[in-house]
Amino acid sequence: METKCSIETKVLSVSEKIIEDLVDGISFQDFEAQLKKELDQLGVDLLKDLLESLDQQLRNSSTRKQAWTIVRKNDSKEILTPFGLLSYTRSYFQHQESKEYCYL
């Protein structure tokens, strides 16, 4: 999973952008729109980091290695979230006995 420091860096970056907008004296409506845009992007970034971190944990899992083989890494996927379109990568697996394929 992403480090606490990296998450804090992203939050601080959004905070700095918000402060810059306030200092620039933008209208309240423009400020609201910019704030929503920045926070939505932060949400997408955090979800992407979470999903890709979970996929990495699956790839490294000794339990997974006993039953599932990695067929492909870094398949591109997209989902629509409340924050916007999220593009991320994940791994595709095959069960060693049943030969079933799936994204775990």
Side-chain angles (χ1 to χ4, degrees):
M1 183 171 249
E2 185 173 353
T3 65
K4 181 180 175 185
C5 182
S6 184
I7 292 171
E8 287 174 354
T9 300
K10 288 181 180 189
V11 171
L12 287 173
S13 174
V14 169
S15 298
E16 289 170 1
K17 176 67 175 135
I18 291 167
I19 291 169
E20 285 175 20
D21 288 344
L22 287 172
V23 169
D24 289 343
I26 65 172
S27 71
F28 188 73
Q29 283 183 320
D30 289 343
F31 171 72
E32 284 181 315
Q34 186 62 31
L35 177 61
K36 181 178 182 340
K37 179 181 171 186
E38 294 292 332
L39 292 176
D40 284 348
Q41 186 59 53
L42 177 63
V44 166
D45 291 345
L46 293 176
L47 287 174
K48 177 181 178 171
D49 290 346
L50 173 68
L51 290 173
E52 291 180 351
S53 176
L54 291 172
D55 188 69
Q56 181 65 43
Q57 288 179 8
L58 279 171
R59 288 196 310 262
N60 295 337
S61 167
S62 58
T63 304
R64 188 272 312 156
K65 290 177 183 179
Q66 294 173 9
W68 294 89
T69 302
I70 299 172
V71 177
R72 291 188 309 265
K73 296 179 187 176
N74 300 320
D75 280 3
S76 295
K77 297 290 179 184
E78 292 184 336
I79 56 174
L80 187 58
T81 73
F83 307 112
L85 186 63
L86 167 61
S87 300
Y88 65 103
T89 60
R90 65 185 304 186
S91 301
Y92 193 55
F93 300 90
Q94 181 180 31
H95 193 270
Q96 293 172 4
E97 291 182 19
S98 71
K99 304 302 181 195
E100 169 191 10
Y101 291 90
C102 74
Y103 294 99
L104 299 179

